[in-house]
Amino acid sequence: DFPPGDEAYHTYDEMVAELDKTVADHPDIAAKVSAGKSFEGRDIPVLKVSDNVATDEDEPEVLFDCNQHAREHLTTEMCLHVAQRFTDNYADPAVKDSVDNREIWIIPSVNPDGSSFDVESGEYQGWRKNRQDQGTDTNRNWGHKWGCCGGSSDDPADETYRGTAAWSAPETAAMRDFIDSRVVGGTQQIKAAVDFHTYSELVLWPFGHTSDDVTEGMTQQEYDRFAKVGTEMAQTNGYTPQQSSDLYITDGDSLDWMWGQHKILAFTFEMYPSSSGGLDGFYPPGDVIERETARNDAAVDILLREAGA
Ligand SMILES: NS(=O)(=O)N[C@@H](Cc1ccccc1)C(=O)O
Ligand SMILES: [Zn+2]
């Protein structure tokens, strides 16, 4: 469990229970499905929020995924906040408009094994990766130009270990299968996505494998749209907008594949804090959860709008 004082954070079981409660409270607009299983066999739950939730309607879809990195527990709270906002507040006309005209997918924990390991002793382990062997960094294990560019490590002991092959981590393979399953009639229905991380307060867009703005799979016009929407979202939450490679080069990351493979307008939000210079930045006190998740409400609304553009 989370250490004393941080009980506000959801353990895996509490997160699952929260999703089940949301579905029970809002059966017309919320449903739970599975993306698959983690290395240790935990289900990776997906919440769908939309009107006529049991029907696949021809509406733009948006994906919010969280907790790829185990210790980044604030992101699980971010996904649960999105789930709660678009179900409990369905009476709000703006919220209702989004729910009625979009299909929203929410994955609060991509890496449930790592997340559980990080807290189960009652002392934070500072764990980042999944729990496969010495751990794979799922955000270096996706299949677009995997291991191409010095943006990951081939050393299993390293924090950015890319795995033995693209998709070698069950968790990234599950994400791939889920997103691939949203290709309907040859068209990817998911139009936009945010992969939430902590920390540094950044809005990031692809590509990570190169510093070039324009490259194979990214025209100037496409880049300009990422920069425009990224900047617009950053103006609402006070994060810094930039191409992810401006931070450092990464390969096998989620954004490169979501855009490279499916042309999903995919961003990463690095949430609060802006800096702390160490491990404690990953463990802000529970009393910041409400403020730091609601801080992204306007940006989430912008992304939902863009999905229909
Ligand atoms: N959350 S973090 O501290 O690990 N930073 C992320 C930054 C990141 C996120 C998405 C694409 C490229 C890079 C990482 O995977 O290194
Ligand atoms: Zn991360």
Side-chain angles (χ1 to χ4, degrees):
D1 283 357
F2 280 86
D6 288 352
E7 294 86 354
Y9 286 92
H10 290 74
T11 63
Y12 174 75
D13 290 342
E14 289 165 343
M15 178 272 288
V16 172
E18 183 72 19
L19 296 185
D20 291 341
K21 182 178 185 310
T22 298
V23 170
D25 292 349
H26 306 280
D28 300 346
I29 58 171
K32 190 178 85 172
V33 297
S34 173
K37 296 269 188 229
S38 69
F39 178 72
E40 292 176 339
R42 290 181 177 85
D43 181 51
I44 299 169
V46 184
L47 188 76
K48 179 185 179 184
V49 180
S50 188
D51 62 326
N52 308 311
V53 72
T55 308
D56 178 15
E57 297 185 298
D58 185 16
E59 298 169 334
E61 299 180 15
V62 180
L63 170 64
F64 299 104
D65 76 271
C66 294
N67 197 222
Q68 267 206 85
H69 289 141
R71 61 197 176 194
E72 300 170 15
H73 303 289
L74 183 61
T75 66
T76 297
E77 303 309 315
M78 181 68 223
C79 271
L80 290 173
H81 170 74
V82 173
Q84 181 262 327
R85 178 170 171 241
F86 285 99
T87 52
D88 289 351
N89 297 3
Y90 186 59
D92 174 324
V95 169
K96 185 174 190 303
D97 183 54
S98 293
V99 173
D100 290 354
N101 295 291
R102 297 287 184 274
E103 292 180 337
I104 302 169
W105 302 99
I106 302 166
I107 306 178
S109 183
V110 172
N111 178 8
D113 300 349
S115 180
S116 299
F117 172 75
D118 192 47
V119 303
E120 64 198 5
S121 74
E123 282 179 39
Y124 293 124
Q125 301 299 304
W127 192 255
R128 167 188 174 88
K129 300 189 282 184
N130 78 351
R131 293 296 294 164
Q132 186 173 11
D133 308 325
Q134 294 181 70
T136 292
D137 180 356
T138 58
N139 209 30
R140 301 299 184 275
N141 190 242
W142 297 64
H144 186 76
K145 297 186 183 295
W146 176 82
C148 70
C149 305
S152 58
S153 170
D154 66 355
D155 180 347
D158 283 352
E159 288 285 54
T160 58
Y161 178 54
R162 66 174 77 107
T164 53
W167 313 117
S168 59
E171 297 84 2
T172 43
M175 291 297 290
R176 174 203 61 203
D177 293 348
F178 173 72
I179 295 167
D180 282 351
S181 77
R182 300 312 308 139
V183 176
V184 178
T187 303
Q188 173 57 251
Q189 302 300 303
I190 300 172
K191 304 301 180 190
V194 181
D195 174 30
F196 286 98
H197 287 255
T198 68
Y199 60 92
S200 293
E201 298 188 4
L202 306 171
V203 173
L204 305 176
W205 57 83
F207 282 109
H209 71 267
T210 175
S211 302
D212 295 342
D213 298 359
V214 177
T215 184
E216 174 200 359
M218 183 74 80
T219 66
Q220 186 65 56
Q221 292 73 20
E222 292 168 332
Y223 184 86
D224 291 347
R225 185 185 182 209
F226 269 112
K228 171 180 169 291
V229 176
T231 300
E232 188 185 352
M233 292 192 291
Q235 280 165 347
T236 67
N237 59 17
Y239 294 4
T240 301
Q242 61 189 68
Q243 183 175 345
S244 71
S245 57
D246 293 346
L247 201 57
Y248 37 74
I249 297 288
T250 56
D251 47 45
D253 67 77
S254 60
L255 303 187
D256 286 29
W257 184 80
M258 287 194 207
W259 172 256
Q261 178 69 24
H262 288 288
K263 293 289 184 190
I264 295 168
L265 196 76
F267 296 87
T268 273
F269 284 20
E270 290 285 352
M271 296 175 67
Y272 174 90
S274 56
S275 69
S276 89
L279 273 184
D280 52 10
F282 292 111
Y283 302 109
D287 60 16
V288 312
I289 292 171
E290 197 168 335
R291 182 190 75 212
E292 292 304 323
T293 53
R295 180 171 174 184
N296 289 312
D297 286 349
V300 164
D301 291 343
I302 289 166
L303 198 91
L304 287 164
R305 180 201 75 203
E306 278 302 312

